[in-house]
Amino acid sequence: FNPTKNKKNIYLPIETKQREYLSNLLIAQKAATKGFRTFIGTKEAIFDLILNKKERKGIFLYKGGLEPNLFEKISKKVQYNFILDHEMTPGKNMSFYNKEVGGNFFKETFQYIDGYFCVNKKVYKVAKKKIEKKIRGKVYLTGWPRNDLFKEKFKNLHLKKTKKIKKKFKNFILFSSDFSYISEYRDFTAQEFINFGSRNKVEKIKTFQEVADFSFNDFNCVVEFFNSIFKKLKNQKIVIRAQPTDNTTVWRKK
């Protein structure tokens, strides 16, 4: 007797551990109580695991768009493809969602999506209008495990790190960066993002360049502002949490 023989598999690839690991563990824990077996790992490892399976079984749950050739191959190895879009964060206005929902997908890949999960009612409303007719499944209002982790019952997950940071810095101001393009290499970075991205390259190249230029100028303004604070308040501590794509060497230099 094999008690796991009839369990359904869920495959959870992780691109950025700091941002996705704990929330995916929460999904795995909830799934286990419903009789699912979950595989969590780097996206490369999970993709390799799926592509080398012999049977077409299981559920693929990812954070966003994949290039068409890879998504097609994965679709032939699993029964369902679901998207929990990590790019569509809460706290944005309707103008942002109307412009960006579905924007990080190749148009050829919508046909492989069996479900698109939304963080809030705003995203859900836009996705119902923009995405549901394109995918083979439906759009769902589900919320985010990442938001669930902010609940009181999960506060101990970060308690050790919190105490360590407070002990080291005492009183400080936390600044969470979201620039990405913070060096003279922003032109190259923006171009690489366009080449990798799913949007129409001819139409969007100018937009991405404008975003890169704005972010770079915005970053320099913030650096100037911080330095002005340090001149007036020499004992003030500012802890900078760099965005994962920020070059921390540039931050330290500035």
Side-chain angles (χ1 to χ4, degrees):
F1 173 69
N2 184 353
T4 65
K5 183 178 180 180
N6 296 319
K7 283 191 176 182
K8 291 184 178 180
N9 295 338
I10 299 178
Y11 300 94
L12 293 173
I14 296 174
E15 183 176 58
T16 306
K17 182 179 179 182
Q18 293 91 334
R19 185 167 53 189
E20 302 163 29
Y21 182 56
L22 283 179
S23 61
N24 277 331
L25 280 182
L26 182 58
I27 291 175
Q29 185 268 329
K30 296 293 184 181
T33 65
K34 301 294 183 180
F36 290 92
R37 181 198 297 109
T38 305
F39 295 88
I40 303 177
T42 64
K43 63 178 185 177
E44 292 81 6
I46 295 298
F47 293 166
D48 188 59
L49 177 64
I50 293 173
L51 295 176
N52 284 285
K53 291 193 310 103
K54 293 182 179 180
E55 296 180 294
R56 185 173 183 263
K57 289 185 177 181
I59 297 168
F60 177 64
L61 177 59
Y62 195 49
K63 52 170 265 183
L66 287 173
E67 60 93 11
N69 185 49
L70 176 58
F71 209 167
E72 181 182 9
K73 290 180 179 178
I74 288 175
S75 295
K76 292 179 179 179
K77 295 288 186 174
V78 297
Q79 292 169 291
Y80 302 100
N81 294 301
F82 293 112
I83 300 295
L84 182 65
D85 197 341
H86 284 233
E87 298 299 325
M88 294 304 107
T89 63
K92 304 290 186 178
N93 57 35
M94 289 300 291
S95 175
F96 173 88
Y97 294 134
N98 279 312
K99 181 180 178 182
E100 298 295 334
V101 168
N104 62 332
F105 294 86
F106 287 89
K107 62 181 180 180
E108 304 96 316
T109 61
F110 282 114
Q111 61 181 306
Y112 305 124
I113 299 175
D114 296 290
Y116 181 89
F117 302 150
C118 303
V119 63
N120 59 25
K121 291 181 180 179
K122 289 182 178 179
V123 176
Y124 176 72
K125 183 178 180 179
V126 175
K128 287 284 286 186
K129 182 180 179 180
K130 290 184 64 177
I131 292 180
E132 193 158 68
K133 292 182 180 179
K134 299 178 182 179
I135 65 177
R136 65 189 185 191
K138 293 184 178 181
V139 169
Y140 300 93
L141 176 59
T142 57
W144 268 13
R146 284 171 64 188
N147 284 5
D148 293 337
L149 290 173
F150 288 120
K151 293 178 179 178
E152 181 73 15
K153 64 181 179 180
F154 294 119
K155 69 177 184 179
N156 288 336
L157 288 173
H158 303 286
L159 194 59
K160 186 177 180 180
K161 286 185 177 180
T162 300
K163 289 181 177 179
K164 185 178 180 181
I165 291 171
K166 286 184 176 180
K167 182 178 180 181
K168 181 176 181 181
F169 297 108
K170 301 296 189 296
N171 295 318
F172 64 90
I173 296 171
L174 175 66
F175 179 79
S176 185
S177 164
D178 190 23
F179 295 114
S180 295
Y181 310 107
I182 65 173
S183 76
E184 62 272 19
Y185 297 108
R186 66 189 186 283
D187 294 347
F188 170 78
T189 307
Q191 184 62 54
E192 284 296 296
F193 185 67
I194 294 162
N195 291 339
F196 178 77
S198 60
R199 306 169 190 237
N200 185 298
K201 296 174 185 177
V202 176
E203 293 181 2
K204 296 296 181 180
I205 187 168
K206 183 179 179 182
T207 301
F208 277 118
Q209 192 60 64
E210 289 174 352
V211 169
D213 288 340
F214 177 85
S215 294
F216 179 70
N217 293 330
D218 200 25
F219 165 70
N220 283 310
C221 287
V222 169
V223 168
E224 184 177 342
F225 174 64
F226 282 169
N227 285 329
S228 68
I229 291 177
F230 299 145
K231 289 179 182 178
K232 296 179 181 179
L233 304 172
K234 297 186 182 299
N235 294 322
Q236 179 61 60
K237 295 174 183 175
I238 298 178
V239 175
I240 297 170
R241 175 270 184 193
Q243 210 269 355
T245 57
D246 283 359
N247 186 330
T248 53
T249 301
V250 175
W251 267 114
R252 291 189 176 95
K253 180 180 178 182
K254 292 286 186 175

